[in-house]
Structure formats: C-alpha cells, structure tokens
C-alpha cells in the first residue's frame, strides 16, 4: 500500500512523464487514451492491462469505447494522488499498448467538473454529497466513488457569480491550444487572466465555463 509519504512531487511527476510520452498528469492521476486497430484489439488491450493490474496489485479506471480505451491511474490509498506505483503501472501499460499496435491519443482524455460559486462551502456541501451519493475528495471537492459522474467542487468567493454553477473542462496543457482557439472562434468572451491554469469562457447569455489545464495543480503532500 502507498501512503502520503509516497506521493510524488510535481517535478517528480513531470520527470516521469518525460519518459512516458503517452501519458498526461490530470487532477491527481496519470491519464491516456489508446486507439487499437479494432474493437477486439481494444478488448485484448483491456485484458492485458487487467493482467498487469493483478500482477502489480494496482488497478486503474478503464473505459472502453469501441476501439479506444481510456485509462486513469491514481493511488487511492495515498489520498488519490500520483505515486511511483502509478508510474510503474503506466509504463507497463504503454508496453502492452505497443504490443497491441495501439496508438496513444492522450488529447482525447477530457475531465469534467462542476463548480459552484459560494461564500460558505460548508453550508451546502453535505446536501450535494448526500443527494449525489458522492464522497469527499482531495481538496474539499466531491467525487463519484465509482468514477462515473463529474466531480463537484466549491469555488469559495465572497462575491459569488450570478450564475453560480459552471463547468470546468480539463485538458492537458499540451493539447489545450486548439480547444481554446476553436472556442474563441465561436464569439465567446475569453478571459485569459489566469492562463495557462484556466481560461474563463462566457457565452452570449452570460453562462460560464472554464477551460483548464494541469498548470498550477500541485499534489497534496500533506503536512
């Protein structure tokens, strides 16, 4: 089992990713997408990744979509952060993908969060946790224990926006440019004050979303 002392620092994660070009860092995990030649090939890759998981006793979140396999590794026993176990598992999965002639498409791995502007998160978080059947996450957020629904977090602010609920769309910094450019081309208002961490997008009716990257996201190393 991993513990907080096993959580990798952000420089250590970046150094590991330099040797893992198929993978990206995302909200306490390592993520990627593999495109296999066929749906059957994707299933074979899932079986291979499953075998690796059993051998290493470290299991990823997997999502199969025809000939694509979405994979996320995190160390839940280390506070849902990245540990050396995730790096080892991602390395082995990359080898299995190469053996299966699968091509990495990490830019397809998008992560969605819902954010609520509030001046008192503690006054409302329990309502949402119970109603959604979620559990508490890494930094006061709420997460689906089965990884199916989007996370929910509370953006604490003394002056909540009139539209209190907005969507955060997380992409890797390496792949964020085209998405930002295409969104700007729709005529939306783009606020880059916090870039590259996030760009605030406002549509013509005042609804907001944020296009986010891993920039500025540091692992929780505890006290």
């Amino acid at each position: 089992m991993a513990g907080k002392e096993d959580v990798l620092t952000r420089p250590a994660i970046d150094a590991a990713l330099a040797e893992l070009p198929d993978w990206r860092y995302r909200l306490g995990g390592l993520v990627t997408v593999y495109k296999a030649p066929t749906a059957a090939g994707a299933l074979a890759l899932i079986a291979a990744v499953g075998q690796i998981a059993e051998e290493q006793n470290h299991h990823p979140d997997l999502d199969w979509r025809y000939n694509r396999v979405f994979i996320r590794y995190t160390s839940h026993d280390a506070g849902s952060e990245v540990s050396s176990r995730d790096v080892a598992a991602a390395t082995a999965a990359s080898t299995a993908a190469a053996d299966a002639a699968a091509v990495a498409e990490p830019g397809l791995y998008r992560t969605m969060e819902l954010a609520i502007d509030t001046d008192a998160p503690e006054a409302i978080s329990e309502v949402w946790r119970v109603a959604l059947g979620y559990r508490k996450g890494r930094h006061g957020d709420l997460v689906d224990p089965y990884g199916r629904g989007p996370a929910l977090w509370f953006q604490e602010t003394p002056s909540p926006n009139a539209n209190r609920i907005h969507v955060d769309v997380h992409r890797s910094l390496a792949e964020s440019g085209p998405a930002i450019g295409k969104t700007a081309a729709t005529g939306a208002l783009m606020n880059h004050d916090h870039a590259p961490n996030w760009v605030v997008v406002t549509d013509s009716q005042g609804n907001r979303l944020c296009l986010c990257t891993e920039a500025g996201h540091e692992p929780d190393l505890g006290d």
Side-chain angles (χ1 to χ4, degrees):
M1 292 181 62
K4 277 290 186 181
E5 67 277 6
D6 300 304
V7 173
L8 298 183
T9 64
R10 184 56 190 277
I13 293 170
D14 291 341
L17 289 175
E19 304 298 324
L20 290 168
D22 295 354
W23 296 80
R24 303 288 185 266
Y25 175 65
R26 179 76 51 75
L27 298 174
L30 301 181
V31 303
T32 195
V33 180
Y34 283 113
K35 180 182 178 181
T38 64
L43 284 172
L45 176 57
I46 290 172
V49 171
Q51 182 62 38
I52 292 167
E54 288 297 296
E55 292 171 354
Q56 298 185 349
N57 192 28
H58 191 56
H59 300 79
D61 294 329
L62 284 171
D63 191 5
W64 172 41
R65 291 291 184 266
Y66 185 56
N67 63 338
R68 288 182 171 88
V69 182
F70 293 68
I71 309 175
R72 180 178 187 267
Y73 284 107
T74 188
S75 292
H76 297 291
D77 49 4
S80 296
E81 301 286 355
V82 175
S83 74
S84 58
R85 296 172 66 196
D86 301 301
V87 175
T91 299
S94 293
T95 299
D99 292 343
V103 178
E105 297 180 326
L108 294 183
Y109 202 114
R110 297 184 299 276
T111 304
M112 307 286 286
E113 291 185 308
L114 295 179
I116 300 179
D117 280 6
T118 175
D119 55 2
E122 68 284 351
I124 62 173
S125 62
E126 187 67 2
V127 174
W128 289 87
R129 187 191 68 79
V130 173
L132 293 172
Y134 277 19
R135 62 173 176 81
K136 292 183 179 180
R138 300 163 64 228
H139 303 297
D141 56 334
L142 303 176
V143 296
D144 184 343
Y146 302 104
R148 299 294 299 161
L152 177 70
W153 73 283
F154 303 94
Q155 182 167 290
E156 188 168 3
T157 172
S159 54
N161 189 272
N163 291 328
R164 289 189 174 223
I165 298 178
H166 68 271
V167 177
D168 287 348
V169 184
H170 291 263
R171 291 180 173 86
S172 297
L173 181 60
E175 290 92 16
S176 64
I180 292 172
K182 290 178 180 178
T183 305
T186 67
L189 178 65
M190 310 290 287
N191 182 329
H192 293 263
D193 287 352
H194 301 283
N197 296 22
W198 70 85
V199 174
V200 180
V201 180
T202 306
D203 68 20
S204 61
Q205 296 181 6
N207 303 298
R208 298 180 306 148
L209 62 89
C210 293
L211 300 179
C212 309
T213 75
E214 74 275 20
H217 284 273
E218 297 296 332
D220 181 5
L221 301 178
D223 297 330

